[in-house]
Amino acid sequence: MAEQGYGLRERKRTRTRLMIQSEALRLFAEKGYDETTVEEIAFAAAISPRTFFRYFPSKEDVVLWDEYDPLTLDLLAARPDEEPPAQTLVAIMREALAGLQRRDPEGLLVKVRLLTSVPELRARLMEQQATGAQLLAAQQAERRGQAVDEIALRVVATALGGAAMVALDLWQTEDGKTDLVGLVDRAIGALAESMRDLQA
Amino acid sequence: MAEQGYGLRERKRTRTRLMIQSEALRLFAEKGYDETTVEEIAFAAAISPRTFFRYFPSKEDVVLWDEYDPLTLDLLAARPDEEPPAQTLVAIMREALAGLQRRDPEGLLVKVRLLTSVPELRARLMEQQATGAQLLAAQQAERRGQAVDEIALRVVATALGGAAMVALDLWQTEDGKTDLVGLVDRAIGALAESMRDLQA
Amino acid sequence: MAEQGYGLRERKRTRTRLMIQSEALRLFAEKGYDETTVEEIAFAAAISPRTFFRYFPSKEDVVLWDEYDPLTLDLLAARPDEEPPAQTLVAIMREALAGLQRRDPEGLLVKVRLLTSVPELRARLMEQQATGAQLLAAQQAERRGQAVDEIALRVVATALGGAAMVALDLWQTEDGKTDLVGLVDRAIGALAESMRDLQA
Amino acid sequence: MAEQGYGLRERKRTRTRLMIQSEALRLFAEKGYDETTVEEIAFAAAISPRTFFRYFPSKEDVVLWDEYDPLTLDLLAARPDEEPPAQTLVAIMREALAGLQRRDPEGLLVKVRLLTSVPELRARLMEQQATGAQLLAAQQAERRGQAVDEIALRVVATALGGAAMVALDLWQTEDGKTDLVGLVDRAIGALAESMRDLQA
DNA sequence: ACGGGCGGGACTGCCCGTTGGT
DNA sequence: ACCAACGGGCAGTCCCGCCCGT
């Protein structure tokens, strides 16, 4: 048995998911998100509507899902133990976004356009970041001997997630021509500065 | 037409909305959000399902809506022009939350429990904060002669909104027994500190 | 306002229901019950599937429903107060079945064939008789001063309902050529005799 | 192949069925019938959903099925040939119900509660009694030289089945504290008396 | 404004046929 | 030969939109 779902079966599922996703994103780009029904996606992907929902729990998830998501966990594991959580987060975010931009810039642009323009998708993305923060807190607590400051961790994770959102939005406004990581750095820098103002 | 909706008509609408909301929250508390249908709410409020949607654009909004929301704009107008945006935001958030806790603590607790436990509502709340940030940026740009740093404004608004979410979650965990504003201060403090770590 | 739903609105609903039912029964007769989907019925009736379920709570109900069902209540009200419940039941059953056979023999035959051949429909019909018995018990208890023997009432109602089922089955076997009421009488007679055997 | 399913294979199947059933009934008692999905039952029983349907043709059957059902056939075979059918039926019903109450009163109570409260299950149970009546008629016809009065047999079987249902309902109302067979006798007695009224 | 009728799209649950792995 | 996984189909429910009459 494969440990983490690297088994044959899981790989096949991933391929199917990718195929459905690409059909869906194509239709979304052509006709818009709301104007595309799941039935149409299923038809384009040559599967039944029922099967669509077996691969994606909801229509929203077909946009949210990313083939490389599990890799993020590896990135996390690769960080040194004693690194402060905020730095870990920034590093992972930068690497993950750089990877996305490098591997498939056009695909990323399509996704980000949807993510920023369709309210339900924006909402789901932010929500995902929030739950990601929860997971991270749990993981960190377990990794270090003592309990971490959960409040600080959740707050900073949400804040950095928000910075990433703003960066993605700007990047999409410029049609993906700029360097995404640079925008992220700018957003984080602006946040840090604003917070310093607050203290004064 | 009255400017801000202080007209008679608007007041009557507000009363109806309050009535519908209180019935809805009662049912949500009894049976859960997903298990309560709009039809049931409408029946409890002695209106037709169709009318429900005239007062609230969606089922979610019946939880999100707050009678005192328009007051937030007054709070904003009352801040001095030269105050840095981050400070303005913090001040408004503190006043708004203090007002909510003072006026109707139990009601707030019911809402916050829903807001933190039902994913769609969590998502909508964060989404609302994000759009609020956009509005604020526009308002600030107009008020000061020059354009404000929109990136900084959006980032910090999202970050502070996230801090508020965390504070609300903690507050709800403790059954609303603690001081909400205190928790917000702690969350913001933790954020500022984490961001300082990042610079070093 | 009309008292019992004799209003214009209710009459229109009844017409629509009749139209849907006739299309459905036609399709059932042509292709069989299981082989006909609600979508097909809706298409044939020129309505949306969603609307079908507004008129009939389930696919089964389109067979079970009868335009003249409410008349049964009138029949019940017309019986003398002091009549023993068993006799009331027999009288009502005979009148109701006679009415059905007189008004639309072919339609009745189609329905009865479905009712006897499709297990789910058989089951629903027997279930309906059982709940009818409950209602009757309540009505009788209220009408007479004292409480009636509910056990006896429910048992006899179920038994007579079963006799009617058997009669309908025989009638359908003979393609509706015999007199339905006569068959019911035979079935009830056979039941009475068997029960006498039991006592001896 | 074993005749009656006393083979090793059949015994193993029965054990698995019992295990699945006990998990299912536990979940039904905890969360309700409709609120429990087949998937949950399968998970609790550590089998795949597909396998569930190999052991029970439908979700309903997991409640209906009884380990001792085949014994009923033995009971039937044990009755003297010349006994009138109605008496045979009463005798078998009494023995079967007595056996159920004796062997596992709490289990029976759980089942009966479901059978009386969930409409689809009520319906299925009555339907089963009706088909049982058909089988009995066939068996009796074969056993005695001549054809039996099929009408009488089916009618009386249905009537007695209905009496049993009423008895079970009463028994469940009293939390299984009374004697089930006594209630059945009362129900049959009430039926006989009512039918006598009818003749007069 | 309000109620009612209707449509439509997302999604779930039950159940079945087939296929591939053991 | 069994059985888990996979894919499909249908009933049914809910949210929410539009249009009409009042």
Side-chain angles (χ1 to χ4, degrees):
Chain A
M1 303 268 174
E3 311 266 40
Q4 301 276 4
Y6 292 117
L8 175 74
R9 186 118 64 208
E10 201 56 30
R11 291 242 298 285
K12 201 175 156 223
R13 275 187 79 77
T14 299
R15 268 215 308 281
T16 308
R17 246 192 275 264
L18 269 176
M19 185 264 290
I20 298 173
Q21 190 187 46
S22 88
E23 293 296 328
L25 291 178
R26 186 175 56 73
L27 289 170
F28 291 159
E30 285 173 14
K31 319 195 318 176
Y33 180 80
D34 284 333
E35 288 69 32
T36 306
T37 70
V38 170
E39 199 174 349
E40 288 164 341
I41 300 171
F43 181 81
I47 56 170
S48 82
R50 191 70 187 77
T51 300
F52 174 90
F53 287 107
R54 277 208 188 68
Y55 283 90
F56 296 99
S58 81
K59 181 182 171 184
E60 292 166 6
D61 289 276
V62 84
V63 181
L64 271 309
W65 179 78
D66 190 288
E67 181 188 2
Y68 302 104
D69 274 353
L71 293 185
T72 310
L73 295 177
D74 298 347
L75 293 180
L76 181 59
R79 305 302 307 178
D81 273 22
E82 63 284 357
E83 188 180 44
Q87 287 184 25
T88 304
L89 276 170
V90 171
I92 291 178
M93 270 176 40
R94 297 175 91 243
E95 292 180 50
L97 289 175
L100 287 173
Q101 189 177 19
R102 177 169 29 81
R103 278 189 290 256
D104 180 12
E106 297 91 16
L108 183 61
L109 188 57
V110 173
K111 275 196 204 174
V112 171
R113 281 206 202 290
L114 288 167
L115 255 16
T116 49
S117 61
V118 182
E120 333 154 27
L121 295 176
R122 282 184 65 97
R124 274 293 305 272
L125 182 56
M126 301 189 65
E127 171 65 15
Q128 258 189 352
Q129 289 172 346
T131 48
Q134 305 264 39
L135 289 181
L136 180 67
Q139 190 259 11
Q140 293 275 349
E142 175 191 351
R143 185 154 149 182
R144 325 197 158 198
Q146 56 189 3
V148 288
D149 182 353
E150 203 201 311
I151 296 189
L153 195 45
R154 284 179 57 187
V155 172
V156 75
T158 312
L160 292 175
M165 279 286 303
V166 173
L168 284 171
D169 195 11
L170 293 172
W171 182 73
Q172 161 268 328
T173 304
E174 298 166 2
D175 296 325
K177 295 208 168 63
T178 30
D179 177 43
L180 187 46
V181 174
L183 288 174
V184 168
D185 288 339
R186 264 181 66 196
I188 295 177
L191 175 59
E193 195 169 343
S194 298
M195 292 309 293
R196 259 202 310 276
D197 287 2
L198 217 51
Q199 299 303 88
Chain B
M1 297 274 173
E3 310 263 43
Q4 304 272 5
Y6 291 118
L8 175 72
R9 176 122 61 213
E10 202 54 31
R11 291 241 299 285
K12 201 176 157 223
R13 275 187 77 78
T14 298
R15 268 213 309 281
T16 308
R17 247 192 274 265
L18 270 175
M19 185 265 290
I20 299 174
Q21 191 187 46
S22 89
E23 293 296 329
L25 292 177
R26 186 177 55 73
L27 288 170
F28 292 158
E30 285 173 14
K31 318 195 315 176
Y33 179 81
D34 284 334
E35 289 68 34
T36 306
T37 70
V38 171
E39 198 169 335
E40 288 165 342
I41 300 170
F43 181 81
I47 57 173
S48 83
R50 188 66 192 76
T51 301
F52 174 91
F53 287 106
R54 268 191 250 281
Y55 283 92
F56 295 99
S58 83
K59 181 181 172 185
E60 292 166 5
D61 289 277
V62 84
V63 181
L64 271 310
W65 178 77
D66 190 289
E67 182 187 3
Y68 302 103
D69 273 351
L71 293 186
T72 310
L73 295 177
D74 298 348
L75 293 180
L76 181 58
R79 305 303 306 178
D81 275 20
E82 64 284 356
E83 189 180 43
Q87 287 184 25
T88 305
L89 275 169
V90 171
I92 291 178
M93 269 175 38
R94 298 175 90 243
E95 292 180 51
L97 288 175
L100 287 172
Q101 189 177 20
R102 179 169 28 82
R103 278 190 292 257
D104 181 9
E106 296 92 16
L108 183 61
L109 188 57
V110 173
K111 277 195 204 176
V112 170
R113 280 205 201 290
L114 287 167
L115 255 15
T116 49
S117 61
V118 181
E120 334 155 27
L121 295 177
R122 280 183 68 99
R124 273 292 304 273
L125 181 56
M126 301 189 64
E127 172 65 15
Q128 257 189 352
Q129 290 172 346
T131 49
Q134 307 263 37
L135 289 181
L136 179 67
Q139 191 258 11
Q140 293 272 350
E142 175 191 352
R143 187 153 147 183
R144 320 188 165 202
Q146 56 189 4
V148 288
D149 181 354
E150 204 201 312
I151 296 190
L153 194 46
R154 284 179 56 188
V155 172
V156 76
T158 311
L160 293 175
M165 277 289 302
V166 173
L168 284 171
D169 195 12
L170 291 173
W171 182 73
Q172 162 268 331
T173 304
E174 297 167 1
D175 296 326
K177 293 207 168 63
T178 32
D179 177 44
L180 186 48
V181 175
L183 288 174
V184 169
D185 288 340
R186 265 181 64 195
I188 295 177
L191 174 59
E193 195 169 342
S194 298
M195 292 309 293
R196 255 203 314 274
D197 288 0
L198 216 51
Q199 300 303 90
Chain C
M1 301 273 172
E3 311 265 42
Q4 300 277 4
Y6 292 117
L8 175 74
R9 184 121 62 212
E10 201 54 31
R11 291 242 299 286
K12 200 174 157 226
R13 275 186 79 77
T14 298
R15 268 212 310 280
T16 308
R17 246 192 275 263
L18 269 175
M19 184 265 290
I20 299 174
Q21 190 187 47
S22 87
E23 294 296 329
L25 292 177
R26 186 176 56 73
L27 289 169
F28 291 159
E30 285 173 13
K31 319 194 317 175
Y33 179 80
D34 284 333
E35 289 68 33
T36 305
T37 71
V38 170
E39 199 173 349
E40 289 165 341
I41 300 170
F43 181 81
I47 57 171
S48 80
R50 188 68 188 75
T51 301
F52 174 91
F53 288 107
R54 267 193 252 281
Y55 284 91
F56 296 99
S58 82
K59 181 181 171 186
E60 292 167 5
D61 289 277
V62 83
V63 181
L64 271 308
W65 179 77
D66 190 289
E67 183 187 1
Y68 302 104
D69 273 352
L71 293 186
T72 311
L73 294 178
D74 299 347
L75 293 180
L76 181 59
R79 307 301 306 178
D81 273 21
E82 64 282 359
E83 188 181 45
Q87 287 184 24
T88 303
L89 275 169
V90 171
I92 291 178
M93 269 175 38
R94 297 175 90 244
E95 292 180 51
L97 288 175
L100 287 173
Q101 189 178 18
R102 179 168 28 82
R103 279 189 290 256
D104 180 10
E106 295 91 16
L108 183 60
L109 187 58
V110 172
K111 276 196 205 175
V112 170
R113 280 206 202 288
L114 287 166
L115 254 16
T116 49
S117 62
V118 181
E120 336 154 25
L121 295 177
R122 279 184 67 98
R124 273 292 305 272
L125 181 56
M126 301 190 65
E127 171 66 14
Q128 259 189 350
Q129 289 172 347
T131 48
Q134 305 263 38
L135 289 181
L136 179 67
Q139 189 258 12
Q140 294 273 349
E142 175 192 352
R143 185 152 150 184
R144 322 189 164 203
Q146 57 189 359
V148 288
D149 182 353
E150 203 200 311
I151 296 189
L153 195 45
R154 285 178 56 187
V155 171
V156 74
T158 310
L160 292 175
M165 278 287 302
V166 172
L168 284 171
D169 196 11
L170 292 172
W171 182 73
Q172 161 268 329
T173 303
E174 298 166 1
D175 296 326
K177 294 209 168 63
T178 30
D179 177 43
L180 187 48
V181 174
L183 289 174
V184 169
D185 288 340
R186 264 181 65 197
I188 295 177
L191 175 60
E193 196 170 342
S194 299
M195 292 309 293
R196 256 201 314 275
D197 288 1
L198 216 52
Q199 298 302 89
Chain D
M1 298 279 169
E3 312 262 40
Q4 304 272 5
Y6 292 117
L8 175 72
R9 179 121 62 215
E10 200 55 30
R11 291 241 300 286
K12 200 174 158 225
R13 277 185 76 80
T14 298
R15 267 213 310 280
T16 308
R17 246 193 275 265
L18 269 176
M19 185 264 291
I20 299 174
Q21 189 186 47
S22 90
E23 292 297 328
L25 291 178
R26 186 176 55 74
L27 289 170
F28 292 159
E30 284 174 16
K31 321 194 316 175
Y33 180 81
D34 284 333
E35 289 68 33
T36 305
T37 70
V38 171
E39 199 170 335
E40 289 164 341
I41 299 170
F43 181 81
I47 57 172
S48 84
R50 191 67 190 77
T51 301
F52 174 92
F53 289 106
R54 269 190 255 281
Y55 285 91
F56 295 99
S58 83
K59 181 181 172 185
E60 292 166 5
D61 290 277
V62 83
V63 181
L64 270 310
W65 179 77
D66 190 288
E67 181 187 2
Y68 302 104
D69 273 353
L71 293 186
T72 311
L73 295 177
D74 299 347
L75 293 181
L76 180 58
R79 305 304 305 180
D81 275 21
E82 64 285 356
E83 188 181 44
Q87 286 184 24
T88 304
L89 276 169
V90 171
I92 291 178
M93 269 174 39
R94 296 174 92 242
E95 292 180 51
L97 289 175
L100 288 172
Q101 190 178 19
R102 178 169 30 80
R103 280 189 290 256
D104 181 10
E106 296 91 17
L108 182 60
L109 188 57
V110 173
K111 277 196 203 175
V112 170
R113 281 207 201 289
L114 288 166
L115 255 16
T116 49
S117 61
V118 181
E120 333 155 27
L121 296 177
R122 279 183 66 99
R124 273 292 306 272
L125 181 55
M126 300 189 66
E127 171 65 14
Q128 257 189 353
Q129 289 173 346
T131 48
Q134 306 262 40
L135 289 181
L136 179 66
Q139 189 260 10
Q140 292 274 350
E142 174 192 352
R143 185 152 149 185
R144 322 188 165 205
Q146 55 187 4
V148 288
D149 181 355
E150 202 200 313
I151 296 189
L153 194 46
R154 285 179 56 187
V155 171
V156 74
T158 311
L160 292 175
M165 278 287 303
V166 172
L168 284 171
D169 195 12
L170 292 174
W171 182 72
Q172 161 267 331
T173 303
E174 296 168 2
D175 296 325
K177 295 207 167 63
T178 31
D179 177 44
L180 186 47
V181 174
L183 288 174
V184 169
D185 288 340
R186 264 181 64 195
I188 295 177
L191 175 59
E193 195 169 343
S194 297
M195 292 308 294
R196 259 202 312 275
D197 288 0
L198 216 52
Q199 300 302 90

